[in-house]
Amino acid sequence: MSFSTILSAAIEGLTAEVVRVEADVSNGLPVFHMVGYLSSEVKEAGERVRTAIRNSGYDYPAKRTVINLSPATLRKRGASFDLPIAVSILTSLGQIPSGRAEKCLIIGELSLDGRVRKVPGILPAAMTAFESGIRCCIIPKDNETEGALVKGLQVIGVENLQEAVDFLKGSRGYAVSDNGVRMITNTVCNVGKGEMKQGGPSLEPEGNSRYVPDFSEIRGQENVKRAAEIAVSGGHNLLMIGPPGSGKSTIAKCVAGILPPLDLEESMEITKIYSVLGLLNKESPLIRTRPFRKVHHTATKAALIGGGLVPHPGEISLAHGGVLFLDELPEFRKSVLEVLRQPLEERSIRITRVHGNYAFPADFMLVAAMNPCPCGHYPDPEKCTCTPAQIQMYLSRISHPFLDRIDLCVEAPRIKYEELTAEKKCESSADIRKRVCRAREIQKERYRGTEITTNAMLGIDGLKRYCRLGASGDKLMERAFTMMELSVRAYHRVIKTARTIADLEGEEQIREEHLREALGYRMVDRKYWRR
């Protein structure tokens, strides 16, 4: 047989598409020709594959070899096609029985000595394979645990080309073969107890080496702690303003300790993002805790929202389902902050390139911290050395449209000595997290059957349905809208915040005191930014 077809996959953004790797080996001039809308790294596969086949002990006679990667309209990138190309050639040469690999998806990069190297994007490729009716995958050994996250898929991890060939010849029908080849047959999803379904089991942190400060370690700043609790409970954006050393950054890090647990569906969605970027742990690939991404103020637009010649997810997508922390907010370039406006509103980011459109999820909670002026001590007249023009220029780096997307703005004053040395025991993150989880459960039940999961996601129709105000509340908001010169967006965000405050207190109806507290979190920005 001189012709063969092997199934593989190409990664496009966060999704994968099945690719047919066709090989024709026939008599003629000894050339190696590849077609199928290939990038430069795929074209280089020819030299790697031929050398790997010979160094693995297989005969590769001098014949005319033509490789086609179909469909031809899909751009093929990366080195993950090396292994399927090698298998297709060996099948065409008769060294692998024909038909063995027809229903098996194969991915992997080859070294010159025949070893199979780890590649990114195995999880979306395995998920696409299963959805396409494929029930077997041959992947690099280092990606084996990642591929086994997909329920019902037989995952074969190979360390070299010879192991892949041995399996396809039928010599790997048992756990350990004569040559020491290992095989995993994944019959259940080994990511925790239960099925992968909506509202499935929550995944508590396991083996998390990230140190998270506890709120009990923070002295004073009770108003900031309260704002952080409300923000996490409803998925709202939070901005903290205060002098250096007032604990803003530490409180932001403490937020990671009160985030609600992930369910299995959320965990798989986040894991897929990290898989495409090759950021998963080999031994424990499943992301079990909500991401907390701290971004330095020198970050570019592409680093933040994603991009590049071949677009990849940025920090806002890596923070999907978790927290994006921007410290020293005015130090970011204004153009960088402005690109966050659309993702903060739509909770996704679309990047357009000549080769196509790419959509990345960006449902994150923004936590930001900043000083009130360049020296950090405004409005203290004894310590602040900034001129009014310097202060105004510093604050003007943050636009009013950006501020309108912040639900809670709170001051973090300098901590007093009495608060620092007080013996009073502060509330722990564990206690706060219990209240957060209760509030999230209330929201989950309220929005069951819809795409809404938190109060922050409510649209105008949702506000009318779930956030009805009484007569006194309507009058209060009418006065506030006029006196505070609220924009429509800010007005809606105040009501969403009030809905979360009511949920924290277990109240079905939004009361006047809930609205007053929510409005209080809109007063701070009006203290610093002129309208």
Side-chain angles (χ1 to χ4, degrees):
M1 180 180 180
S2 64
F3 175 80
S4 66
T5 299
I6 300 296
L7 299 179
S8 188
I11 304 298
E12 283 287 295
L14 294 183
T15 61
E17 290 196 33
V18 175
V19 171
R20 297 172 64 87
V21 180
E22 301 171 343
D24 182 86
V25 181
S26 58
N27 295 326
L29 292 175
V31 295
F32 193 102
H33 188 55
M34 295 181 62
V35 295
Y37 199 13
L38 313 176
S39 65
S40 58
E41 61 267 26
V42 179
K43 293 177 181 177
E44 293 170 353
E47 295 301 324
R48 290 194 299 270
V49 168
R50 285 185 293 183
T51 306
I53 289 175
R54 293 192 184 101
N55 288 336
S56 297
Y58 300 103
D59 293 331
Y60 191 171
K63 291 191 174 186
R64 176 183 175 82
T65 303
V66 178
I67 305 294
N68 176 43
L69 274 60
S70 175
T73 56
L74 177 66
R75 183 72 167 172
K76 323 303 187 305
R77 302 181 180 90
S80 61
F81 296 104
D82 292 1
L83 183 58
I85 290 173
V87 171
S88 64
I89 290 172
L90 292 175
T91 303
S92 296
L93 292 171
Q95 300 188 46
I96 296 176
S98 61
R100 286 283 190 177
E102 284 185 356
K103 291 295 182 180
C104 187
L105 187 134
I106 303 176
I107 298 177
E109 177 185 350
L110 284 175
S111 297
L112 296 183
D113 59 358
R115 285 180 295 174
V116 180
R117 295 188 179 275
K118 180 180 179 180
V119 295
I122 286 294
L123 182 57
M127 294 173 73
T128 297
F130 185 81
E131 292 167 0
S132 302
I134 301 169
R135 294 297 178 264
C136 175
C137 282
I138 298 177
I139 61 176
K141 178 64 181 176
D142 288 343
N143 293 116
E144 189 176 48
T145 310
E146 179 185 343
L149 294 176
V150 180
K151 178 186 175 182
L153 190 67
Q154 185 185 34
V155 178
I156 314 299
V158 296
E159 294 182 345
N160 52 59
L161 176 59
Q162 185 179 358
E163 291 185 1
V165 173
D166 287 345
F167 170 75
L168 293 172
K169 283 183 175 180
S171 61
R172 295 189 62 190
Y174 38 86
V176 181
S177 64
D178 294 337
N179 60 3
V181 175
R182 291 165 296 280
M183 184 181 77
I184 287 182
T185 302
N186 185 36
T187 56
V188 294
C189 187
N190 62 344
V191 294
K193 300 177 181 178
E195 300 281 338
M196 188 179 79
K197 58 183 178 181
Q198 180 69 28
S202 296
L203 299 177
E204 293 296 334
E206 288 185 13
N208 184 15
S209 59
R210 181 182 69 191
Y211 169 71
V212 179
D214 197 279
F215 270 111
S216 62
E217 302 170 9
I218 306 295
R219 299 297 178 181
Q221 306 294 18
E222 298 302 324
N223 62 323
V224 187
K225 294 179 185 178
R226 168 68 174 172
E229 179 182 343
I230 295 170
V232 176
S233 297
H236 304 290
N237 302 319
L238 171 67
L239 173 62
M240 297 174 285
I241 306 175
S246 57
K248 304 184 298 297
S249 298
T250 305
I251 290 174
K253 294 174 184 176
C254 288
V255 166
I258 63 173
L259 293 171
L262 290 167
D263 64 32
L264 201 51
E265 185 175 355
E266 291 175 317
S267 182
M268 290 290 281
E269 185 178 13
I270 296 170
T271 302
K272 186 164 67 170
I273 299 171
Y274 283 72
S275 171
V276 168
L277 294 174
L279 298 177
L280 295 179
N281 183 288
K282 182 174 72 172
E283 285 76 23
S284 180
L286 185 68
I287 302 294
R288 296 176 179 268
T289 56
R290 294 189 180 274
F292 183 90
R293 304 292 298 186
K294 181 178 179 180
V295 182
H296 195 264
H297 59 78
T298 57
T300 62
K301 287 189 286 186
L304 200 59
I305 68 170
L309 182 62
V310 181
H312 290 291
E315 287 291 341
I316 63 173
S317 295
L318 290 172
H320 177 70
V323 173
L324 179 72
F325 177 40
L326 305 183
D327 203 1
E328 305 295 344
L329 189 65
E331 298 298 334
F332 284 82
R333 281 177 287 180
K334 189 172 183 177
S335 60
V336 173
L337 293 180
E338 291 303 298
V339 299
L340 286 176
R341 286 162 50 182
Q342 182 259 338
L344 284 171
E345 202 73 26
E346 299 182 7
R347 301 182 182 275
S348 65
I349 183 70
R350 286 190 172 275
I351 300 174
T352 302
R353 292 291 183 270
V354 174
H355 301 300
N357 298 319
Y358 300 80
F360 300 126
D363 185 7
F364 61 93
M365 171 186 161
L366 176 66
V367 177
M370 61 174 286
N371 297 330
C373 67
C375 76
H377 298 292
Y378 178 79
D380 190 336
E382 296 182 358
K383 294 183 178 180
C384 184
T385 60
C386 304
T387 65
Q390 288 174 326
I391 296 172
Q392 187 63 30
M393 184 177 294
Y394 183 77
L395 294 175
S396 66
R397 298 176 186 175
I398 303 171
S399 68
H400 292 306
F402 182 86
L403 285 171
D404 269 350
R405 288 163 171 81
I406 303 294
D407 302 76
L408 296 93
C409 186
V410 62
E411 279 189 294
R414 187 175 298 278
I415 299 175
K416 298 178 181 179
Y417 180 77
E418 293 78 12
E419 294 176 325
L420 185 64
T421 58
E423 295 294 331
K424 180 183 176 182
K425 187 177 180 181
C426 298
E427 193 174 27
S428 69
S429 294
D431 293 333
I432 298 174
R433 189 173 189 249
K434 289 178 182 178
R435 294 197 296 268
V436 168
C437 291
R438 283 198 297 268
R440 286 288 185 107
E441 283 298 320
I442 291 173
Q443 295 166 60
K444 183 178 179 181
E445 187 62 33
R446 179 189 298 129
Y447 307 130
R448 187 177 298 278
T450 70
E451 295 182 356
I452 302 170
T453 56
T454 61
N455 292 328
M457 297 176 67
L458 284 170
I460 295 177
D461 292 340
L463 286 170
K464 292 178 180 178
R465 180 177 178 182
Y466 302 109
C467 301
R468 296 181 180 274
L469 306 180
S472 60
D474 277 328
K475 291 180 180 179
L476 174 62
M477 290 304 298
E478 182 182 359
R479 293 196 303 271
F481 185 80
T482 303
M483 295 176 62
M484 297 175 64
E485 298 180 352
L486 295 174
S487 66
V488 175
R489 182 180 287 110
Y491 170 81
H492 289 156
R493 288 183 179 271
V494 168
I495 297 178
K496 294 177 190 179
T497 304
R499 175 70 271 170
T500 300
I501 296 171
D503 289 341
L504 281 168
E505 296 184 4
E507 297 284 348
E508 181 60 33
Q509 181 67 33
I510 299 176
R511 299 202 305 265
E512 191 172 335
E513 55 265 35
H514 303 147
L515 291 169
R516 290 186 183 278
E517 183 177 0
L519 285 167
Y521 295 119
R522 302 296 312 188
M523 299 294 291
V524 177
D525 63 324
R526 279 152 179 79
K527 173 181 176 180
Y528 293 99
W529 285 272
R530 297 174 183 174
R531 294 286 169 174

